[in-house]
Amino acid sequence: METPRHWRLRKQRYGLIGEVCPHCDVKIFPPRDVCPACGSEAKTPFAFSGKGEVYSFTTMQSGPTGFNENAPYTVALIQLEEGPMLTAQLTDLDPAEEVTIGLPVEMVTRKLRTDAGAEGIILYSYKFRPVFTA
Ligand SMILES: [Zn+2]
């Protein structure tokens, strides 16, 4: 059964798709079909640029089961340039460079882990990496 929600979840693996409020133009992520600013129905898809900056962050010394190969890792609260905030893992960090509040970041789609089960499902997730400016 193909529902709009399934379609949206699949699209999110390849891009940052949220919604935009047709009434007050507020950008919404994750999609929730209701504008957090004015409370109106908001079902218009909106593709975010995937760019933002670090709002706050924390470094994890060990990951949940299946993620330990990536530990330690840094999880950040990222404010997208369109406004919404989301939590995501940071990647491609230079060990010599410290993560700072306000660090410019951009979204990348990464393989999260490969399920060892019979179907060999590969899970993808978005992460963010620092934007290098010359
Ligand atoms: Zn609104």
Side-chain angles (χ1 to χ4, degrees):
M1 188 70 180
E2 197 79 349
T3 69
R5 178 159 292 274
H6 286 143
W7 178 82
R8 273 207 302 261
L9 289 173
R10 198 168 62 230
K11 288 282 282 187
Q12 275 183 26
R13 292 182 192 172
Y14 307 106
L16 207 55
I17 307 296
E19 291 163 335
V20 57
C21 177
H23 307 282
C24 68
D25 204 40
V26 160
K27 311 300 190 296
I28 305 160
F29 189 88
R32 67 195 65 156
D33 294 347
V34 174
C35 175
C38 70
S40 301
E41 184 177 271
K43 292 184 173 179
T44 309
F46 178 84
F48 287 89
S49 68
K51 294 189 190 313
E53 64 178 41
V54 173
Y55 186 82
S56 69
F57 63 92
T58 180
T59 299
M60 309 289 193
Q61 293 305 322
S62 65
T65 305
F67 294 85
N68 280 320
E69 63 191 87
N70 295 324
Y73 62 95
T74 300
V75 172
L77 183 61
I78 292 156
Q79 179 157 36
L80 299 172
E81 64 179 12
E82 294 90 350
M85 299 232 214
L86 60 86
T87 303
Q89 186 177 335
L90 298 183
T91 188
D92 294 355
L93 293 174
D94 184 340
E97 196 177 2
E98 283 190 41
V99 177
T100 54
I101 305 294
L103 179 73
V105 290
E106 62 186 3
M107 188 186 77
V108 289
T109 303
R110 285 295 157 85
K111 188 171 77 172
L112 202 57
R113 68 191 167 104
T114 305
D115 196 305
E119 293 174 13
I121 298 169
I122 299 172
L123 300 177
Y124 288 90
S125 179
Y126 51 82
K127 295 183 181 181
F128 283 77
R129 69 183 177 197
V131 176
F132 298 104
T133 48

